[in-house]
Amino acid sequence: MEPLILAMSIFAMVGAISPGPVNLVATSTAANYGFMRASLFVLGASVAYSIVVFISGNLLNVLASWIPNIELAMQAAGSLFLLYLAKKIALSPYQKMGGVEQEKAPSLIHGAIMQCINPKAWLVAMSGISLYVVGQSELKSQLVLFTSISLVACFIGVSAWALLGHMIRGFLQSESKQKAFNRVTAALLVLSVASIWV
């Protein structure tokens, strides 16, 4: 069982730490609002991802014939939401770090919603389920194990991106640097959307 747990953990960490829309928003949130405020977004995204994994595991066999249609609908909805976020980030006005309006920061709910419509989350979850859960003798216990590992890995991975944002926060004290950072982050978000369709 231990080699399987190690394999699940490595897979889950690679999926969680790799660049993606949720990680970019976590970085931007921490850079603009601080790590503590970003931690709510991280928690929402992490819990939602574990739900995505659990749902994927329970429905993968039933939905096998529908996956192409579901994937396309999720890609479209996710892409529109991410492009909306990219626009908000790119056009956000300069804010002095001491006077940032905390209520404008993405919240726990935003993190959860974003993760639920994130095509990367569903694709990684379904890939992991098909590798480590489907075909195992104790399907339910393997699914709970993989879901738990995914929750921890997602929290660590997205937190790492938020920590990066917090670390560069001091660099963003000038208006020009903050606006440039927001535009680069928004452009990366747009590129992550484009990668879904390529």
Side-chain angles (χ1 to χ4, degrees), residues 83-103:
L83 290 173
Y84 166 77
L85 280 177
K87 178 185 172 195
K88 297 271 291 177
I89 290 170
L91 300 178
S92 62
Y94 170 69
Q95 300 178 50
K96 291 188 178 194
M97 292 301 171
V100 172
E101 295 180 49
Q102 294 294 317
E103 62 273 1

Side-chain angles (χ1 to χ4, degrees), residues 156-177:
I156 292 169
V158 181
S159 291
W161 283 84
L163 186 59
L164 171 67
H166 184 73
M167 289 169 37
I168 64 171
R169 194 166 191 227
F171 174 76
L172 302 175
Q173 293 294 330
S174 79
E175 182 175 359
S176 61
K177 289 178 182 176

Side-chain angles (χ1 to χ4, degrees), residues 18 46 55-56 65 85 89 93 96 110 114 122 129 146-147 149 155 163 180 190:
S18 62
S46 301
I55 290 171
S56 295
S65 62
L85 280 177
I89 290 170
K96 291 188 178 194
H110 289 115
M114 187 171 181
W122 286 91
I129 293 296
F146 187 65
T147 300
I149 288 170
F155 188 79
L163 186 59
V190 170

Side-chain angles (χ1 to χ4, degrees), residues 14-96:
V14 168
I17 200 110
S18 62
V22 170
N23 291 339
L24 291 171
V25 172
T27 303
S28 176
T29 300
N32 287 297
Y33 301 97
F35 184 79
M36 291 308 292
R37 186 64 182 173
S39 65
L40 292 174
F41 178 85
V42 170
L43 181 61
S46 301
V47 170
Y49 181 65
S50 67
I51 292 168
V52 166
V53 171
F54 193 75
I55 290 171
S56 295
N58 281 308
L59 299 179
L60 191 58
N61 290 331
V62 176
L63 299 177
S65 62
W66 298 356
I67 286 176
N69 295 333
I70 289 171
E71 183 178 337
L72 182 62
M74 289 193 62
Q75 284 179 335
S79 295
L80 290 173
F81 183 71
L82 296 176
L83 290 173
Y84 166 77
L85 280 177
K87 178 185 172 195
K88 297 271 291 177
I89 290 170
L91 300 178
S92 62
Y94 170 69
Q95 300 178 50
K96 291 188 178 194

